[in-house]
Amino acid sequence: MSGRAQLMWDEAVTGYDFGSGHPMDPVRLALTRQLVDAFGLDREVEVVAAKAAGESTLRLVHREDYIAAVRAASADPGAADQSYGLGTMDDPAFVEMHEVSALIAGQSVGAAEAVWRGEALHAVNFAGGLHHAMPGAASGFCIYNDASLAIARLLELGAERVAYIDVDVHHGDGVQAAFWDDPRVLTISLHEHPRTLFPQTGWPEETGAESAEGSAVNVALPAGTGDAGWLRAFHAVVPELLADFRPQVLVTQHGADTHFEDPLAHLAVSLDAQRAVQVACHDLAHEHADGRWVALGGGGYAVVDVVPRSWTHLVAIAAGRAVAPESVIPESWRQEVFARTRQLAPGRMTDGRWPVEWSGWEEGYDPADRLDQAVLATRRAVFPLRGLLA
């Protein structure tokens, strides 16, 4: 197996553009790629442009009629069929929407293929992680569910156990739905509580279909959760489940919208804690999946201050060339940010909270603490179904 990491990238993915004023500004992708290059990480990875996902691949997850509706909306955005979630405020239709969405999906599928076949140990597609798209509908800025397609392709290639970890601030509802009744896929989502955030799903009681009980795991975090609580919840749930499940591949989604600066949600996580979870996912892949790791992007709407730094850390960790949090950001990138956005760029790769401190679950818990209540609810709902102690 090659130890070299792959970075999946085609400049055309920046065409995933819902228009002026939409939170999903493709400048976040361009600025991330430029920051990766500014740190010289493009020389540490193999940059690969995979082909767009074709019809047969898209149909591994999406319904034929939905794919046809996306194609039609791409050709004539004004005639988008809103019954498929297209042409809405969240998911406005645009010319070539099908083509660019299939291209992003193709990068995630290509990443999965490379990792499964041993062409790369780790592969990153930070343009991916579009986890809300359903088999028959667009949702939450997501047209095709590249994360689900990557997992479905792994199963098609012969994988028997795939674990998916989603740390986006929003529930990974589309991926959960795609594999709700498939015990070969363990989906774990840590997200802001559905009482206070879209898509209002991801309750701890959502544990999978009767044929796959305990294969869906949801940690619903109280609004305002910060670094210590977020890391405590992750480590109180994820490592034990992975040790039990023994995945052959780990697929992770790293939405950067848990950050305290993100305008669309209410968690209070720092860049430094996001980096700590990225490191943890890398280490868990090596501990439980022979290092096979497919890492995806996701949400993130602080498009200058947060997203490029967070995903550059992700690429660096996958490449085995982690960028130190205290690293000064190259001036060339900061000038590019100002030229493109008229915003001042951050100066370092940290929010000043490294190393992040948190307490492990094994040290005991407080039943009156809202964060600990959330963790307990998840453990009690899922762990007994998997033969584990709650």
Side-chain angles (χ1 to χ4, degrees), residues 326-348:
E326 64 272 14
S327 298
V328 174
I329 291 176
E331 181 62 27
S332 59
W333 185 79
R334 300 182 76 239
Q335 291 176 359
E336 178 66 21
V337 166
F338 188 77
R340 293 189 67 145
T341 69
R342 287 297 183 261
Q343 294 185 46
L344 295 177
R348 293 184 182 271

Side-chain angles (χ1 to χ4, degrees), residues 129-154:
L130 305 178
H131 59 168
H132 294 307
M134 293 292 176
S139 177
F141 315 160
C142 305
I143 306 301
Y144 292 138
N145 196 316
D146 63 286
S148 294
L149 289 164
I151 294 167
R153 180 61 175 143
L154 287 166

Side-chain angles (χ1 to χ4, degrees), residues 134-309:
M134 293 292 176
S139 177
F141 315 160
C142 305
I143 306 301
Y144 292 138
N145 196 316
D146 63 286
S148 294
L149 289 164
I151 294 167
R153 180 61 175 143
L154 287 166
L155 298 176
E156 187 178 53
L157 290 171
E160 297 174 348
R161 294 180 307 282
V162 180
Y164 172 75
I165 301 171
D166 189 318
V167 296
D168 193 289
V169 78
H170 303 91
H171 176 226
D173 57 339
V175 185
Q176 175 178 287
F179 303 104
W180 181 249
D181 58 358
D182 193 334
R184 297 174 298 173
V185 182
L186 175 68
T187 64
I188 306 173
S189 178
L190 288 87
H191 47 267
E192 184 179 327
H193 202 286
R195 271 195 296 263
T196 53
L197 194 67
F198 173 90
Q200 282 79 52
T201 57
W203 299 80
E205 296 78 17
E206 297 171 32
T207 57
E210 187 175 343
S211 60
E213 283 190 329
S215 67
V217 183
N218 290 289
V219 187
L221 301 167
T225 296
D227 290 358
W230 195 60
L231 288 167
R232 176 172 169 81
F234 180 94
H235 288 282
V237 172
V238 176
E240 197 170 344
L241 289 171
L242 291 189
D244 168 69
F245 187 65
R246 298 178 295 112
Q248 294 162 299
V249 188
L250 186 62
V251 180
T252 58
Q253 195 267 23
H254 297 271
D257 43 9
T258 51
H259 196 273
F260 56 78
E261 286 188 16
D262 197 273
L264 299 189
H266 319 97
L267 294 191
V269 173
S270 72
L271 181 76
D272 299 294
Q274 291 178 347
R275 182 185 185 278
V277 160
Q278 294 166 3
V279 170
C281 287
H282 169 271
D283 293 347
L284 288 166
H286 281 273
E287 187 173 347
H288 300 295
D290 293 325
R292 296 189 192 93
W293 182 32
V294 177
L296 309 173
Y301 310 101
V303 298
V304 169
D305 284 352
V306 179
V307 174
R309 291 190 296 163

Side-chain angles (χ1 to χ4, degrees), residues 360-383:
W361 194 249
E362 67 282 356
E363 298 173 26
Y365 58 86
D366 178 0
D369 180 82
R370 291 173 65 223
L371 186 280
D372 283 4
Q373 288 172 359
V375 172
L376 270 174
T378 299
R379 290 180 63 101
R380 288 171 175 167
V382 174
F383 279 43

